[in-house]
Amino acid sequence: MTVDYLIEDAIRQSLTLFQEITIKSVVDSTNQIAKESLQQEQSTPSVIIADQQTAGYGRLTRTFYSPSETGIYMSIALPMTLDEETTLLTPMSAVAVNRAIKKVCQIDTQIKWVNDLYYQGKKVVGILAESIINRGVVIGIGINFKADSQLQRTVQKAGALLPDDRLVTRNQLINQILIEFERLLPIYQQKQFMDEYRQHSLLLNKNVILRLNEQTTIEGRVAGISDKGELILLKANQQLQRFNAGEIERVLAW
């Protein structure tokens, strides 16, 4: 298999907003490095990309397995002020990644509220947005780009976008993701991307179990996703309820 090296010039093509791009061979976590850059009063957007992470993490600090050569591990640091709305950055990021995958890999992924992308019933992308008070937001994106036997043996429901032999590079997909971010960020406040988010939802009209905390779960049918990013559940009593936090623990009908 040809080594898919990360090349800065290839990633930079056609970009205007993201001028500060750093590529590392091995890091503990790209999100951690991006957060540190924001804490140093960084004033312009930046991107950190790694070939491998030794301490990658997702929601609830779950370990994100990050082997070299087969994955994409990147974090975008966005300096933002306190009065700027940030709650929809995760859905916007999901739309950007979904668009890029379609254009570069020629496959359709689906979005599992609120921060995962699935392909052929398996998770291939995780997104984690972390706020830094008075500094901004870091958006971490982890992608299982090409098949990795260790990943598929150890992580339940983990998939990959491509088999080993597809002639698509990580540079191409990273570049397109950043292009899509540059297209969406200027119109972020208009929330128009939420229609696209809903169109690619994995969960609409599915029966699910939503976990709110360690003790509480709620079962219902996903009736919609609001423009605020809330999950709208139709419960057994035929009442609609909105949730702005929680985790889909189980989909009862794929």
Side-chain angles (χ1 to χ4, degrees):
M1 181 178 69
T2 303
V3 178
D4 185 6
Y5 293 108
L6 296 170
I7 302 171
E8 185 175 336
D9 286 346
I11 291 170
R12 284 186 179 278
Q13 289 185 35
S14 303
L15 297 178
T16 57
L17 176 64
F18 297 111
Q19 292 299 307
E20 187 177 337
I21 297 175
T22 303
I23 297 175
K24 300 283 188 180
S25 56
V26 181
V27 300
D28 52 0
S29 160
T30 59
N31 257 34
Q32 189 59 41
I33 294 173
K35 287 191 291 184
E36 290 169 0
S37 71
L38 281 181
Q39 289 166 344
Q40 295 169 4
E41 299 189 4
Q42 171 186 319
S43 60
T44 58
S46 65
V47 183
I48 174 76
I49 305 163
D51 180 56
Q52 181 180 359
Q53 294 183 120
T54 58
Y57 60 91
R59 290 188 70 201
L60 306 176
T61 66
R62 294 190 184 106
T63 298
F64 188 90
Y65 179 62
S66 312
S68 64
E69 299 183 17
T70 61
I72 291 173
Y73 321 112
M74 58 187 289
S75 295
I76 299 171
L78 297 173
M80 302 182 79
T81 60
L82 280 176
D83 60 347
E84 291 181 275
E85 176 63 58
T86 62
T87 56
L88 291 178
L89 282 174
T90 297
M92 187 207 75
S93 301
V95 169
V97 175
N98 185 70
R99 285 183 182 180
I101 290 171
K102 175 65 174 178
K103 291 176 181 177
V104 174
C105 303
Q106 299 297 304
I107 61 175
D108 293 306
T109 52
Q110 292 179 291
I111 302 169
K112 178 173 173 275
W113 184 87
V114 60
N115 65 326
D116 295 332
L117 271 66
Y118 274 61
Y119 176 57
Q120 296 181 336
K122 294 188 175 183
K123 179 179 173 178
V124 291
V125 179
I127 298 169
L128 178 66
E130 297 185 278
S131 297
I132 309 299
I133 297 175
N134 297 328
R135 293 289 183 265
V137 177
V138 167
I139 301 169
I141 301 168
I143 302 175
N144 301 331
F145 184 60
K146 291 197 175 181
D148 180 273
S149 57
Q150 177 69 16
L151 172 69
Q152 293 168 338
R153 283 197 303 269
T154 58
V155 183
Q156 187 179 21
K157 285 195 173 181
L161 290 178
L162 301 172
D164 288 341
D165 57 353
R166 282 286 297 275
L167 297 179
V168 177
T169 70
R170 291 183 293 174
N171 298 309
Q172 290 172 293
L173 184 53
I174 294 169
N175 170 256
Q176 191 63 46
I177 288 171
L178 294 175
I179 287 172
E180 299 301 338
F181 264 89
E182 290 193 349
R183 289 171 175 162
L184 286 167
L185 281 169
I187 59 172
Y188 169 72
Q189 299 292 346
Q190 300 171 28
K191 303 180 182 179
Q192 294 175 345
F193 57 86
M194 287 305 298
D195 285 337
E196 193 170 341
Y197 184 89
R198 285 185 283 264
Q199 289 168 9
H200 293 278
S201 172
L202 175 69
L203 301 178
L204 286 179
N205 300 314
K206 298 285 198 317
N207 294 317
V208 302
I209 295 175
L210 174 68
R211 178 163 293 280
L212 301 179
N213 52 51
E214 289 186 4
Q215 293 79 32
T216 308
T217 60
I218 294 178
E219 184 175 334
R221 178 174 288 270
V222 178
I225 299 169
S226 76
D227 281 345
K228 295 180 180 179
E230 302 160 313
L231 188 74
I232 305 172
L233 282 188
L234 178 65
K235 299 189 295 183
N237 62 6
Q238 299 304 301
Q239 296 294 311
L240 290 173
Q241 188 170 354
R242 296 176 179 231
F243 300 89
N244 58 18
E247 181 174 21
I248 300 298
E249 184 171 87
R250 187 178 173 194
V251 180
L252 302 177
W254 285 94

